[in-house]
Amino acid sequence: MLLQMEVNRLDFYIGLSLAVSSSVFIGASFILKKKGLLRLASKGSMRAGQGGYAYLKEWLWWAGLISMGTGEAANFAAYAFAPATLVTPLGALSVLVSAVLSSYFLNERLNVHGKIGCLLCVLGSTVMVIHAPQEEEVSSLTSMAEKLRDPGFIVFAVCVVGSSLVLIFAVAPRFGQRNVLVYILICSVIGSLSVSCVKGLGIGIKELFAGTAVLKEPLFWSLIICLVICVSIQISYLNKALDIFNTSIVTPIYYVFFTTSVMACSAILFKEWLSMTTDEVVGTISGFLTIILGIFLLHAYKDITFSWDSLPLYLRKGPQVFTLTWSQRVSPGSSESVPVCLG
Amino acid sequence: MLLQMEVNRLDFYIGLSLAVSSSVFIGASFILKKKGLLRLASKGSMRAGQGGYAYLKEWLWWAGLISMGTGEAANFAAYAFAPATLVTPLGALSVLVSAVLSSYFLNERLNVHGKIGCLLCVLGSTVMVIHAPQEEEVSSLTSMAEKLRDPGFIVFAVCVVGSSLVLIFAVAPRFGQRNVLVYILICSVIGSLSVSCVKGLGIGIKELFAGTAVLKEPLFWSLIICLVICVSIQISYLNKALDIFNTSIVTPIYYVFFTTSVMACSAILFKEWLSMTTDEVVGTISGFLTIILGIFLLHAYKDITFSWDSLPLYLRKGPQVFTLTWSQRVSPGSSESVPVCLG
């Protein structure tokens, strides 16, 4: 029993480090892809958002895809070792990595808000890691199959498939180009199924290494097929969203919707919340909300430059002059400087 | 043993509710006092910051003092039931109450940052409450006397008294009017001693109700004398700081310095951190940092009006016009509106 707990704890730390390193790769992939798409746009090719596929010829886009692939593989492995309620929210760190890299490679300067947002992401993630359930909920493909047959999960899966079909065929053609939520909702809702498949496959592969004949089980192959379908849909719609809208709006909204949807799915499928104390549940939710606020700050005020210089304002008396500078990243030439006299 | 734990848990909840209700009174007291001082300033009396004592004739200032007294009494009682590491940081809620009341009674509008800051204070406090040590460290005046005789604490107390004497007699006359930190540092450093006295007295009064003859102990009376001296110094310097500088800069800085100083003192005196697990220590620190960031947001951008209208900026394409409004509370007539065209 004590040995089993030790193994669980080791698994937890392996899963944790895989999740963190996957965030680095995924964060970098957003920047590479965006740089590739921007380069294509400057060449005048037909854009992904309008149905073009020219991005397949751009090596930067492929580098992004490979980085994302590596990240997703690490993420995949992380799910086999640690609970989804821990791994998915840690994706926030990829937002942080992408924010820091943006400031270097896409000339998007990180302002005071961005820095506070990054700190909040780290603090929220820390609190979530402390509170996340440490025990593995499923340890074999057979027990996974049982969980998948649970009526609660079947209802959830039917709702997910139904709502994404409605979004893809009825809503996306009409509102997809104007409203950023449509494409992101499709990715997020489908994403909860991908994570379930990944979790099942990860456990299957772990069993395979342990010598079980999982390759003969039809469930293993159905999970692979389901995963390929889900991930293709996700990649396609995430590309469309990234091409039409700013990375700084796509990334945070995608994070919030995707994580919420995975946590809901994980709660229904693995019922990991039932074994948690009230304190742990409250702590996990507080951590998640802190991350969301951090991501909001990181992105919502990204185009307004606040410097520390404007802060000691309140420490002085009498008339004060301070300057705020706005700059828009898409057209970096158009920054304006507005001196304002107060008092 | 089990019964003892139940009693400890009950004590913890009593202390928690006392701490929360004290925050409401103390938060309100800041607003009442500030309103009183503002009314005096408009009458042209000599200001507290310049050495005047006209505020003693203003009933609003007295209402503020009574509200603060009630709050401090609840706070006092809270220290007798729950550890200082929990009670002091919950003072953040008084900052929240004062921010919300400011927006009603001092016409200081709460912007988006303020709302995020309030949420962060609540989240950070929640995380701290979950992780704070639940056991009482000291249960009798005799054991308190032992802790006070600890060499570590004696060194700390000497440093506190020495540094506050230097601040009061050497630094304050020269820099007090220009630098907001001077008066606040005096209050905060002295505050750590007040809290220790309060903790000791609270335990003494609990013992008194239980029938112990604490009134004969010289320690009880020395604690009262020490508390009266410390609190008088604190009130006097907090008044000076509040009169010269904006509430929105005094409150957050005072919170951060005072809480840090109390936590340091409590850690040295009660060594409550030694019985905590790594997770609890990390959680407590994360919660405290989250509160600090929340308080920073609540106050640093208070004079800049951000509305939700300026946010969907990134969802639109093409040239955009948005408006930011600055307004300074001290002279409410001088607000300016600056339309800026981007793109």
Side-chain angles (χ1 to χ4, degrees):
Chain A
M1 190 60 207
L2 203 70
L3 191 71
Q4 184 57 37
M5 273 183 71
E6 279 299 305
V7 170
N8 278 342
R9 224 180 148 73
L10 185 66
D11 270 14
F12 180 82
Y13 286 116
I14 294 175
L16 187 60
S17 21
L18 283 169
V20 171
S21 61
S22 94
S23 286
V24 175
F25 283 106
I26 293 173
S29 83
F30 273 99
I31 305 304
L32 289 167
K33 277 189 180 175
K34 183 75 188 178
K35 226 176 152 64
L37 291 171
L38 278 177
R39 192 187 278 187
L40 273 177
S42 69
K43 282 185 197 154
S45 314
M46 197 181 179
R47 307 183 72 164
Q50 294 154 353
Y53 289 95
Y55 58 82
L56 294 175
K57 287 181 198 156
E58 172 62 50
W59 73 266
L60 262 175
W61 188 86
W62 281 104
L65 194 70
I66 290 166
S67 173
M68 180 161 257
T70 315
E72 291 293 353
N75 204 241
F76 184 105
Y79 280 110
F81 289 100
T85 318
L86 173 75
V87 178
T88 314
L90 282 186
L93 298 177
S94 80
V95 177
L96 193 152
V97 170
S98 111
V100 172
L101 291 180
S102 297
S103 70
Y104 286 103
F105 296 106
L106 297 178
N107 295 322
E108 307 179 357
R109 250 193 88 209
L110 209 56
N111 56 22
V112 179
H113 285 68
K115 283 165 194 158
I116 296 178
C118 284
L119 262 175
L120 285 174
C121 287
V122 173
L123 290 175
S125 303
T126 310
V127 172
M128 283 203 87
V129 169
I130 292 175
H131 292 288
Q134 296 209 357
E135 273 102 332
E136 259 264 64
E137 323 79 18
V138 202
S139 51
S140 74
L141 219 52
T142 331
S143 69
M144 181 79 189
E146 240 167 66
K147 304 234 175 220
L148 289 174
R149 262 184 256 114
D150 186 272
F153 180 72
I154 293 173
V155 170
F156 179 80
V158 169
C159 290
V160 163
V161 173
S163 58
S164 37
L165 287 177
V166 170
L167 280 170
I168 292 175
F169 293 107
V171 184
R174 260 185 277 171
F175 304 103
Q177 303 273 330
R178 273 176 292 157
N179 193 329
V180 70
L181 294 180
V182 178
Y183 290 146
I184 293 180
L185 259 179
I186 297 171
C187 295
S188 309
V189 168
I190 298 271
S192 71
L193 293 185
S194 313
V195 168
S196 310
C197 294
V198 160
K199 183 91 197 175
L201 283 175
I203 292 160
I205 290 170
K206 254 170 106 180
E207 277 194 287
L208 190 68
F209 282 117
T212 318
V214 284
L215 296 180
K216 284 182 194 156
E217 284 192 51
L219 178 63
F220 189 78
W221 298 104
S222 345
L223 285 175
I224 291 184
I225 293 166
C226 179
L227 181 63
V228 169
I229 295 171
C230 290
V231 167
S232 325
I233 299 173
Q234 268 182 279
I235 289 185
S236 156
Y237 282 95
L238 191 58
N239 264 325
K240 290 189 188 196
L242 270 175
D243 185 51
I244 300 176
F245 305 98
N246 206 314
T247 328
S248 63
I249 192 73
V250 172
T251 323
I253 298 183
Y254 182 54
Y255 170 78
V256 174
F257 281 80
F258 177 65
T259 309
T260 310
S261 136
V262 169
M263 280 167 81
C265 176
S266 188
I268 291 167
L269 188 55
F270 301 114
K271 301 181 178 62
E272 45 204 359
W273 295 80
L274 291 181
S275 65
M276 287 163 79
T277 64
T278 319
D279 275 9
E280 282 170 343
V281 172
V282 171
T284 307
I285 293 171
S286 300
F288 185 46
L289 291 177
T290 307
I291 297 176
I292 291 179
L293 289 176
I295 286 177
F296 174 79
L297 280 176
L298 197 49
H299 290 288
Y301 297 99
K302 221 176 177 181
D303 286 344
I304 302 173
T305 310
F306 292 98
S307 64
W308 290 102
D309 303 340
S310 62
L311 289 183
L313 184 65
Y314 316 95
L315 302 180
R316 295 178 229 143
K317 298 208 89 183
Q320 293 135 0
V321 176
F322 75 106
T323 308
L324 290 182
T325 314
W326 285 262
S327 51
Q328 209 178 21
R329 254 161 304 97
V330 181
S331 48
S334 72
S335 73
E336 295 196 28
S337 192
V338 189
V340 182
C341 188
L342 292 178
Chain B
M1 189 61 205
L2 204 70
L3 191 71
Q4 184 56 38
M5 272 182 71
E6 280 298 306
V7 169
N8 278 341
R9 227 182 146 69
L10 184 67
D11 270 13
F12 179 81
Y13 286 116
I14 293 174
L16 186 60
S17 17
L18 282 169
V20 171
S21 61
S22 93
S23 287
V24 175
F25 283 107
I26 293 173
S29 82
F30 273 100
I31 305 305
L32 289 166
K33 277 189 182 175
K34 182 75 189 179
K35 228 177 151 62
L37 291 171
L38 278 177
R39 192 187 277 186
L40 274 177
S42 69
K43 282 185 198 154
S45 315
M46 199 182 179
R47 306 184 70 165
Q50 293 154 351
Y53 289 95
Y55 58 82
L56 293 176
K57 289 182 197 154
E58 171 62 49
W59 72 266
L60 263 174
W61 188 85
W62 280 104
L65 193 71
I66 290 166
S67 173
M68 180 161 258
T70 315
E72 292 292 354
N75 204 243
F76 183 105
Y79 280 109
F81 290 100
T85 318
L86 172 75
V87 177
T88 314
L90 282 186
L93 298 178
S94 79
V95 177
L96 194 152
V97 169
S98 111
V100 172
L101 291 181
S102 298
S103 69
Y104 285 103
F105 296 106
L106 298 178
N107 294 322
E108 307 181 358
R109 249 193 86 210
L110 208 59
N111 57 21
V112 180
H113 285 68
K115 283 165 194 158
I116 297 177
C118 285
L119 263 175
L120 286 174
C121 287
V122 173
L123 291 174
S125 303
T126 310
V127 172
M128 283 203 87
V129 169
I130 292 175
H131 292 288
Q134 296 210 355
E135 273 101 333
E136 259 264 65
E137 324 78 19
V138 202
S139 50
S140 74
L141 218 52
T142 329
S143 69
M144 183 77 190
E146 239 167 67
K147 305 237 174 215
L148 289 174
R149 261 184 256 115
D150 187 271
F153 180 72
I154 292 172
V155 170
F156 178 81
V158 169
C159 290
V160 162
V161 173
S163 57
S164 35
L165 287 177
V166 170
L167 279 170
I168 291 176
F169 293 107
V171 184
R174 258 184 281 170
F175 304 104
Q177 302 273 329
R178 273 176 292 157
N179 193 329
V180 70
L181 294 181
V182 178
Y183 291 147
I184 294 180
L185 259 179
I186 296 172
C187 296
S188 310
V189 168
I190 297 274
S192 71
L193 292 186
S194 314
V195 168
S196 310
C197 294
V198 160
K199 183 92 197 173
L201 283 176
I203 292 161
I205 290 171
K206 257 169 103 178
E207 277 193 287
L208 190 67
F209 282 117
T212 318
V214 284
L215 296 180
K216 285 183 195 155
E217 284 191 50
L219 178 64
F220 189 78
W221 299 103
S222 348
L223 285 176
I224 290 184
I225 293 166
C226 180
L227 180 64
V228 169
I229 296 170
C230 290
V231 167
S232 325
I233 300 173
Q234 267 182 282
I235 290 186
S236 156
Y237 282 95
L238 191 59
N239 264 326
K240 289 190 188 198
L242 270 175
D243 185 51
I244 300 177
F245 305 99
N246 207 314
T247 327
S248 62
I249 193 72
V250 173
T251 322
I253 298 182
Y254 182 53
Y255 171 78
V256 174
F257 281 81
F258 178 64
T259 309
T260 310
S261 139
V262 169
M263 281 167 81
C265 177
S266 186
I268 292 168
L269 188 55
F270 302 114
K271 300 184 179 62
E272 47 204 359
W273 295 81
L274 290 180
S275 65
M276 288 164 78
T277 64
T278 320
D279 276 8
E280 283 170 341
V281 172
V282 171
T284 306
I285 293 170
S286 300
F288 185 46
L289 291 176
T290 306
I291 297 176
I292 291 179
L293 289 176
I295 285 177
F296 175 78
L297 280 176
L298 197 49
H299 291 288
Y301 298 99
K302 220 177 177 181
D303 286 344
I304 303 173
T305 309
F306 292 99
S307 62
W308 290 101
D309 302 341
S310 62
L311 289 183
L313 187 66
Y314 316 94
L315 304 178
R316 297 178 228 144
K317 300 204 89 181
Q320 293 135 359
V321 175
F322 75 106
T323 307
L324 291 182
T325 313
W326 285 263
S327 53
Q328 210 178 18
R329 257 162 301 97
V330 181
S331 47
S334 72
S335 73
E336 295 198 27
S337 191
V338 189
V340 182
C341 187
L342 294 177

